[in-house]
Amino acid sequence: MPLYHIESKQVTQLRPAAFKSERELQRLFEANLETLLGVRFIASEFTTGDRQRGRIDTLGIDQNGSPAIIEFKIAYKDNVINQGMYYLDWLVDHRGDFLVAAQKLLGQDVKVDWASPRLIPISEEFTEYDKYAVNRMGTNIELWVYRLYAGGTLYLEPIFIPEAGRHKPKPQPKPEDVSHEGEVEEEIVYDLEWHLAGKPEKIREIVDLLRERMFALGEPSEIVENVTKTYIGYRHGKNFCEVAPLQSAVKLWLDIPPGELDDPRRLGRDVTKIGHHGTGQVEVRVNELGDVENVVELIRQAYLLTV
């Protein structure tokens, strides 16, 4: 993709550049994971042990508590997806190893949500066959492409994001899930209906309209809905909004610095130093269906920070 620099009404095309090695690309991302992908760094070149030998390029945990595996290629290689799937299967079967690594770097209080671990291969290009393959797999695999340009300009774009609700793997029973009688205790599945259960019809209508407006902000499949126990999150690479349906209102958190939000109606509240469930710093309440359109303009501003 050609990029151009504008100065004094003169346009100059930026020349493509290249990383010297995959390690250079990896180090740049690892130093800026939260800015680029909304993922906190846990480990680099993480070994998978003697039985399933391998090294995961980068291991992290995203804003919603989902484990993330990131694999880098400076040139197209058709094995990056298969390699990543191997590591993703290993991760689901070795939750304890991931938790120990996460706690070591991020502290004992780190929360891990195993409903939808993410695999993020990053390369200069992927083929239409790759996109077709990961779509058919129905697993939480995202395809991201990058371009490096002279002068220190980096372009990054997700070209495939799995559709909401298709990528949740079937949880495997853990020892603590098995009762003394040998029966597996049912694991609670947090989904949209779980959050809306018992809520008034007005709240359901507000949530439905908010979801419709948020998905309309980007191209199909670009915006991912991620449901946790405390909120329904929306991300475009990174989180831009979280939604929590209450009995009398719908509460939202917007991932935008309070000082950067254009909010003439003063709908948002700065919760940077106040405990709250979402990852965003601005809290908004929607009490009536007619309030949604005003709030969508604020959501749009948070979304644009991820584009």
Side-chain angles (χ1 to χ4, degrees):
M1 171 179 288
L3 291 184
Y4 299 88
H5 175 71
I6 302 174
E7 185 175 359
S8 301
K9 298 183 179 181
Q10 294 295 315
V11 174
T12 304
Q13 183 174 348
L14 298 180
R15 294 185 178 182
F19 290 100
K20 296 177 181 178
S21 64
E22 286 179 7
R23 186 59 177 159
E24 183 183 16
L25 170 65
Q26 181 179 346
R27 285 173 176 167
L28 176 66
F29 269 77
E30 288 179 347
N32 299 277
L33 272 187
E34 291 196 58
T35 299
L36 295 172
L37 299 172
V39 173
R40 287 182 290 172
F41 174 81
I42 290 179
S44 181
E45 300 296 326
F46 188 84
T47 179
T48 57
D50 294 330
R51 293 186 59 187
Q52 290 177 266
R53 293 186 177 181
R55 286 185 179 273
I56 297 172
D57 284 351
T58 304
L59 204 57
I61 185 168
D62 75 8
Q63 297 160 296
N64 302 310
S66 298
I69 290 174
I70 307 166
E71 290 291 312
F72 301 94
K73 298 296 178 186
I74 59 173
Y76 175 75
K77 294 181 181 178
D78 57 8
N79 68 341
V80 63
I81 296 173
N82 293 334
Q83 183 181 8
M85 284 292 295
Y86 174 86
Y87 292 146
L88 189 59
D89 285 345
W90 178 90
L91 182 65
V92 173
D93 291 337
H94 294 78
R95 302 183 183 189
D97 293 335
F98 177 85
L99 182 58
V100 169
Q103 290 177 335
K104 182 178 180 180
L105 197 67
L106 303 177
Q108 295 295 315
D109 296 332
V110 63
K111 303 295 184 183
V112 181
D113 183 353
W114 287 100
S116 52
R118 299 167 64 187
L119 171 60
I120 309 175
I122 297 175
S123 176
E124 278 198 313
E125 62 177 323
F126 292 98
T127 69
E128 290 299 319
Y129 297 111
D130 293 326
K131 289 190 282 187
Y132 177 81
V134 296
N135 184 51
R136 291 287 293 174
M137 288 175 189
T139 308
N140 198 17
I141 306 175
E142 307 168 21
L143 301 181
W144 289 67
V145 295
Y146 78 88
R147 296 286 189 276
L148 181 66
Y149 294 89
T153 298
L154 178 70
Y155 172 81
L156 182 66
E157 178 188 15
I159 62 167
F160 180 84
I161 300 292
E163 295 179 17
R166 292 191 52 200
H167 55 267
K168 293 182 185 276
K170 183 177 180 181
Q172 299 296 317
K174 303 183 289 298
E176 59 267 29
D177 296 331
V178 182
S179 67
H180 294 296
E181 290 75 22
E183 296 180 355
V184 177
E185 297 179 2
E186 185 177 356
E187 184 172 329
I188 297 175
V189 176
Y190 300 110
D191 55 16
L192 181 64
E193 190 54 41
W194 184 87
H195 278 279
L196 293 175
K199 301 298 189 300
E201 185 62 27
K202 180 182 76 170
I203 299 301
R204 287 176 170 268
E205 291 177 353
I206 291 173
V207 171
D208 284 345
L209 186 55
L210 282 169
R211 294 177 75 238
E212 178 184 326
R213 293 293 188 268
M214 279 193 278
F215 284 124
L217 291 172
E219 295 297 323
S221 300
E222 279 190 350
I223 295 174
V224 176
E225 182 179 77
N226 187 80
V227 184
T228 73
K229 182 178 180 179
T230 53
Y231 59 74
I232 308 159
Y234 297 87
R235 73 170 188 261
H236 179 260
K238 300 185 295 182
N239 281 14
F240 64 88
C241 181
E242 300 82 48
V243 175
L246 308 177
Q247 285 297 125
S248 59
V250 177
K251 189 176 290 188
L252 296 85
W253 295 279
L254 308 180
D255 294 72
I256 184 171
E260 295 183 16
L261 185 68
D262 182 9
D263 182 17
R265 294 182 176 85
R266 299 179 182 271
L267 301 177
R269 180 169 75 114
D270 183 353
V271 292
T272 305
K273 299 181 180 180
I274 302 174
H276 58 284
H277 290 307
T279 62
Q281 306 98 309
V282 176
E283 183 179 283
V284 181
R285 289 176 67 95
V286 181
N287 299 297
E288 302 294 339
L289 195 62
D291 299 334
V292 169
E293 295 306 326
N294 291 332
V295 173
V296 167
E297 180 51 41
L298 304 184
I299 297 173
R300 186 190 309 277
Q301 295 177 49
Y303 166 76
L304 289 175
L305 293 182
T306 71
V307 176

